[in-house]
Amino acid sequence: MNITHNYNPSTNTWEVSLSGEVDVYNAPQLKEVLHSLLDQHNSSIVIDCQGLKYIDSTGLGVLIGVLKRVKDNNGSISIRNLKPYIKKIFTITGLDKIFLIEVQE
């Protein structure tokens, strides 16, 4: 898994890019990075998943936990460029109702 991030002060948004696989082994690293970003600027997050190949339930749990913290400050998490087979996971679990999902065609 590779995580890059950039804070956009004009929109008060963290722009995060995920690539590779998010699973039980590296989900704690994702959680640590996202919470660290929110410690710096507690704002909305846009996650670009262009390079994301896989996410398991542990990774989804991390996103849900971070979403709770973001929503406490009236923010949101948008997820962009999900591959269709990963978007299906969000749909099956109902997470497409709590995250703003933009699909890659």
Side-chain angles (χ1 to χ4, degrees), residues 18-88:
L18 287 179
S19 60
E21 299 182 356
V22 179
D23 57 26
V24 68
Y25 302 106
N26 59 21
Q29 177 191 356
L30 175 62
K31 179 179 180 180
E32 185 179 313
V33 168
L34 293 176
H35 280 281
S36 171
L37 296 179
L38 292 173
D39 288 344
Q40 295 173 49
H41 297 283
N42 209 336
S43 61
S44 293
I45 300 174
V46 175
I47 302 175
D48 187 334
C49 296
Q50 180 78 41
L52 186 66
K53 299 190 181 343
Y54 175 82
I55 187 166
D56 71 3
S57 59
T58 313
L60 295 175
V62 167
L63 294 179
I64 292 166
V66 171
L67 179 65
K68 288 179 184 173
R69 182 169 170 190
V70 169
K71 282 193 169 212
D72 285 346
N73 289 294
N74 298 317
S76 64
I77 295 182
S78 301
I79 301 178
R80 294 184 178 156
N81 298 319
L82 277 179
K83 293 182 176 24
Y85 63 91
I86 297 177
K87 182 186 184 295
K88 190 173 186 178

